[in-house]
Amino acid sequence: MFSGKIGFVLAAASSAIGLGNLWRFPYLAAKYGGGIFLLVYLLLAITFGFVLMVTEIAIGRRTQLSPLKAFGALSKKWKWLGVLATIVPALIFPYYCLIGGWVTKYAATMVSNHVADAAEDAFFGAYISATGEPLLWFLIFLVATMLVIIFGVNKGIEKLSRILMPALLVLTLGLSVYVVTRPGSLAGVKYYLLPNFRALNAKTFLAALGQLFYSMSLAMGIMITYGSYFSKEEKIEKAARQIEIFDTAIALLAGLMIIPAVFSYSGGDQAALSSGPSLMFVTLPKVFNEMPMGGLIGALFFILVFFAAITSSVSIMEAIVSGILDAFRCSRGAATAIVAVYGAAVGIVCSLGFGVWSDFTILGFGILDFLDFISNNVLLPLVGMFTCILVGFVIKPDLIICEVELNGPFKMKNFYIAMVKWIAPLFIFAILVTGILQGFGLLTI
Ligand code: TRP
């Protein structure tokens, strides 16, 4: 159980806030038309995001079980959904640590006062396409994650992150104010905040939906686990809303810091906006290089991002380890070792995918992009959709509603029922099918 009223919300939020908010959200928003992506994201967050967050916390608190067992306990025939949900963290983990390695490299670059080098256009490309160096930083990040788990210092890290998360929020806010007031960035603010409906298509919805689940750690069992620690005295509805607000605020600010900077420092053309995973790493050093005390601020920023990333990677790794412990008979140490070896192997392949193996593609995706696509754009929507169907038609919404109403009325009850039964599953299905078809060029809306 978590101590204090805000304890649960902060713990869940600091696990949820990570690279998804700071690295992934801004590059997707830049790529998918700025304001229109933001609008779709917010709409999905207050509808599907809210419904799934409430559902997962309630399932966790009600069953007091891990995701792998919780679905089976709700209905014997639905055990597979727990398995599917647990596969997602396993797909995300290797490349999450790879990006964590990139962040660590940038933190080290800033700390050693090489901000001017990092601001060069070619710096990032040269770094990720090299063979040895990115692997080294990746392994450092992976080992750091493992050490936190082995030495059981998670509690300490969690406490630390109660100070570091607000610090990150304040710094991101300050940086976005700075960037927004730079010459040329107004066009970026407009691009980011004003929806352009002509840029709207099925892919926008799928990208926003996948990002929503990824960023809030939904549809992968994580919030079920957190829910199982959630005290019966607290209000689920309120907690769900607070976690969503925290998570969204950080993502929104990260976008406001990065996207206008793309206009002010990198010209803001379509190529710069669509640069994908490299966006944060290419754009921010240019800002730090030019701002007063930028080296110091840059160092502080990347150190805070490192902490946000490691709290998330620790909880992703733990999710996989406890999944293994639930399914197989082995010791915690052995399970941790298996996950570490697996993570290292797949992460190395992802990293080489930017260098010596860059010609190797799967369905047109690079290796990291492929893992990202399968987990976020295929599995997360599927698990989300089936969770709604399970709740809506098999166990019935009443079970969730009873759990939510243990202490006080469920304000959005009718909305919840309509969403979980009909609107969410139907829309998620439509978004999934059209988004994938369009992604492969089989549909042009
Ligand atoms: N939500 C995290 C982020 O935004 C990433 C994440 C994905 C995660 N799956 C997770 C975090 C599982 C904790 C547990 O970066």
Side-chain angles (χ1 to χ4, degrees), residues 12-24 88-89 92-93 96 211-218 220 222 226 247 308-309 311-317 319 376 380:
S14 71
S15 144
I17 293 171
L19 295 173
N21 311 61
L22 298 155
W23 158 75
R24 203 168 183 275
V88 179
I92 293 176
F93 181 62
Y96 203 88
Q211 171 59 19
L212 174 70
F213 290 169
Y214 180 89
S215 180
M216 299 198 179
S217 309
L218 292 171
M220 48 179 118
I222 302 297
Y226 272 94
D247 194 81
T311 49
S312 293
S313 69
V314 163
S315 86
I316 301 176
M317 188 170 189
N376 299 320
L380 291 183

Side-chain angles (χ1 to χ4, degrees), residues 93 120 181 198 200 296 392 414:
F93 181 62
E120 295 288 332
T181 52
R198 263 171 299 164
L200 184 65
L296 187 72
N414 292 331

